[in-house]
Amino acid sequence: MPSRDYANTVDVEDNSALVQENLDPEPTNPSWRLSFPHVLVATISSFLFGYHLGVVNEPLESISLDLGFNGNTLAEGLVVSTCLGGAFIGSLFSGWIADGIGRRRAFQLCALPMIIGAAISATTTTLAGMLFGRLLVGTGMGLGPPVAALYVTEVSPAFVRGTYGSFIQIATCLGLMGALFIGIPVRDIAGWWRICFWVSAIPAGILAFAMMFCAESPHWLYKQGRSSEAEIEFEKLLGGAHVKFAMHELSKLDRGDETDTVKITELIYGRHFRVVFIGSTLFALQQLSGINAVFYFSSTVFKSVGVPSDLANVFVGIANLLGSVTAMLLMDKLGRKVLLLGSFFGMAVSMGLQVAGASPYMSGSGALYLSVGGMLMFVFTFALGAGPVPGLLLPEIFPSRIRAKAMAVCMSVHWVINFFVGLLFLRLLEQLGPQLLYTIFATFCLMAVVFVKRNVMETKGKSLQEIEIALLPQE
């Protein structure tokens, strides 16, 4: 940036007169076009997250034949779940990495194991090589989403923050559909599954390269005591007319030089316990609603009513994408809390339809419409709020000082419950039957409605500083 533009930059803390003149925000919102490219690059990590979640679904049979573990259900399960184990590790350290080296470098760091892991998976001739590659990819997958949620929240203007936050869910959805699309030729072309892994290295490389040209989070820079650099980044993201007000908003809060002193105990039972509890519970209820059981095992359910698995996956993908786009359009109009309430209630109703469809008193086309319609409605209503909102809402309600580390704790809860739901779903379906299991999922959805109603505040249109001041724990 030209030095003349910043020759007279003054630290906001030392310039109270200037700050006093700029107490009120500019009469117009900053242009969304300035921050849009930065958000778009960040959501590549979410696309990769979705792609790697779905990349082994279609090719798993070919992989097991080529690598010599066909028929070994434990090995097949490990190829899927090793990735989730890696994601847990990545998410656990994401907060410390994002606070330590900054958001941009954290993105580049998450791309590295994805590229290396994809290359190992694509070239391996053994099960051990495949599992090692999937573990590496998983660490990148775990690191990416919490950093993306932080970055998008911190670089977005308040009036479009909800819309931009929805991009994360849409990108994840497109990644899942991309994996499905790339996997189509796997039954006809020998070794095509290797191409499926190689393809994923391309967006990972683009993410690592493009992040060199993106803005660093001004919130992170300010926490490091680098106010002049934070002003420069705000100018890139908001335009010159909005820089002084944005810096004034940051100056209302502690600079946070003591970031390194944030301990895990402070998050689990200290002064910030309440917001971390809300975040962890939201992610737990998101997973206990049964969404990943639906995603992982939708093909089985559709097959039982005579719908081919590839067609089932297409239907689920379309429902997910439609819900995500609708959420994007409504997020900054209706607000986060309304979408969460409507989403969880809609999911409970959808599970009720599937319970009715599984009833012995229901048969023929009635059972088909209830089962398939209930599942598609469930996916749509999930994508409307329960999917995108927690990842956006939590960085909004967490104080700046603990934001990255608190997100790491909540995402770790997400991955642990995700793993156990995936591990136990089929066994529970066998033991309890679909009616009882779907009733349990519906109950969790209704519990989520009550929890959101009582504990979640609306953040639509508010600056991060306004939200933080409203939620500051009483000393």
Side-chain angles (χ1 to χ4, degrees):
M1 304 294 282
S3 58
R4 60 187 170 79
D5 289 343
Y6 307 106
N8 298 316
T9 297
V10 182
D11 192 308
V12 289
E13 292 185 339
D14 300 324
N15 198 348
S16 56
L18 259 179
V19 165
Q20 194 64 36
E21 292 171 12
N22 288 279
L23 290 180
D24 297 319
E26 293 295 315
T28 57
N29 286 319
S31 171
W32 60 268
R33 292 180 180 85
L34 293 173
S35 50
F36 180 73
H38 306 271
V39 170
L40 210 58
V41 172
T43 54
I44 295 174
S45 66
S46 302
F47 175 87
L48 284 161
F49 173 76
Y51 186 91
H52 283 295
L53 271 183
V55 73
V56 295
N57 288 1
E58 284 296 319
L60 188 56
E61 191 179 335
S62 300
I63 294 169
S64 63
L65 283 168
D66 284 4
L67 300 186
F69 58 89
N70 188 38
N72 184 340
T73 53
L74 176 63
E76 289 177 359
L78 281 171
V79 170
V80 176
S81 59
T82 302
C83 200
L84 301 181
F88 171 73
I89 295 166
S91 66
L92 200 58
F93 293 101
S94 62
W96 282 261
I97 292 168
D99 271 347
I101 63 175
R103 312 325 189 207
R104 283 196 316 169
R105 286 182 182 168
F107 276 120
Q108 292 174 317
L109 189 63
C110 98
L112 191 62
M114 285 189 172
I115 295 170
I116 297 170
I120 291 171
S121 298
T123 54
T124 188
T125 55
T126 64
L127 173 61
M130 175 59 69
L131 294 180
F132 181 58
R134 293 289 285 164
L135 185 70
L136 282 178
V137 163
T139 58
M141 276 174 63
L143 176 57
V147 176
L150 286 172
Y151 184 80
V152 170
T153 300
E154 291 176 345
V155 304
S156 303
F159 77 104
V160 289
R161 197 167 57 236
T163 304
Y164 282 173
S166 302
F167 287 1
I168 292 174
Q169 177 74 8
I170 291 172
T172 304
C173 183
L174 291 174
L176 280 162
M177 294 177 78
L180 172 68
F181 178 75
I182 293 291
I184 289 171
V186 77
R187 296 178 194 276
D188 304 318
I189 304 174
W192 182 260
W193 62 269
R194 297 184 186 275
I195 303 295
C196 296
F197 286 111
W198 277 123
V199 165
S200 68
I202 298 168
I206 293 170
L207 173 65
F209 178 73
M211 261 298 149
M212 291 164 58
F213 305 98
C214 288
E216 180 54 271
S217 162
H219 293 254
W220 180 76
L221 290 168
Y222 186 79
K223 279 166 61 182
Q224 305 303 306
R226 294 154 63 178
S227 298
S228 300
E229 292 173 61
E231 286 192 43
I232 294 169
E233 301 302 338
F234 268 136
E235 180 149 355
K236 287 183 195 173
L237 295 163
L238 306 176
H242 297 268
V243 171
K244 288 194 179 83
F245 177 73
M247 291 301 294
H248 169 60
E249 286 286 285
L250 281 182
S251 72
K252 290 177 184 176
L253 307 171
D254 293 336
R255 185 185 290 270
D257 292 328
E258 77 280 27
T259 299
D260 290 338
T261 66
V262 177
K263 295 183 173 63
I264 199 81
T265 52
E266 187 180 340
L267 303 179
I268 294 172
Y269 53 80
R271 62 196 288 256
H272 296 297
F273 167 76
R274 183 171 176 266
V275 285
V276 176
F277 171 74
I278 290 171
S280 300
T281 306
L282 268 181
F283 269 130
L285 289 168
Q286 181 199 64
Q287 295 304 304
L288 291 169
S289 70
I291 184 60
N292 278 318
V294 168
F295 276 139
Y296 294 154
F297 306 109
S298 58
S299 300
T300 311
V301 175
F302 277 98
K303 271 181 192 171
S304 69
V305 292
V307 180
S309 62
D310 52 351
L311 198 59
N313 289 333
V314 170
F315 285 147
V316 169
I318 291 171
N320 196 6
L321 185 60
L322 283 176
S324 302
V325 172
T326 307
M328 178 189 74
L329 299 173
L330 297 178
M331 191 77 76
D332 285 311
K333 291 186 173 71
L334 297 181
R336 287 49 152 167
K337 188 169 183 176
V338 172
L339 285 183
L340 268 182
L341 289 169
S343 175
F344 277 119
F345 184 74
M347 288 159 71
V349 172
S350 307
M351 277 296 178
L353 293 178
Q354 291 184 77
V355 169
S359 166
Y361 304 108
M362 193 66 65
S363 60
S365 58
L368 170 68
Y369 290 134
L370 285 172
S371 296
V372 174
M375 183 166 284
L376 294 178
M377 180 181 164
F378 185 86
V379 171
F380 176 81
T381 50
F382 171 83
L384 203 57
V389 171
L392 166 69
L393 180 74
L394 301 193
E396 290 181 323
I397 67 171
F398 290 147
S400 174
R401 178 171 167 264
I402 66 160
R403 187 174 292 139
K405 295 178 177 69
M407 273 300 289
V409 171
C410 294
M411 283 300 291
S412 301
V413 171
H414 165 278
W415 282 113
V416 168
I417 296 179
N418 185 338
F419 175 79
F420 282 110
V421 169
L423 185 69
L424 299 174
F425 174 73
L426 283 181
R427 186 165 180 80
L428 288 172
L429 191 61
E430 225 173 59
Q431 300 287 323
L432 305 176
Q435 273 193 299
L436 183 54
L437 186 57
Y438 290 159
T439 302
I440 292 170
F441 286 147
T443 305
F444 277 119
C445 292
L446 292 174
M447 286 169 62
V449 171
V450 175
F451 180 81
V452 169
K453 183 78 177 165
R454 290 184 176 177
N455 295 284
V456 172
M457 73 169 284
E458 184 52 72
T459 58
K460 177 187 70 170
K462 295 177 181 172
S463 73
L464 296 180
Q465 290 69 39
E466 288 171 330
I467 297 165
E468 180 167 339
I469 289 167
L471 287 171
L472 277 177
Q474 299 301 311
E475 299 294 347

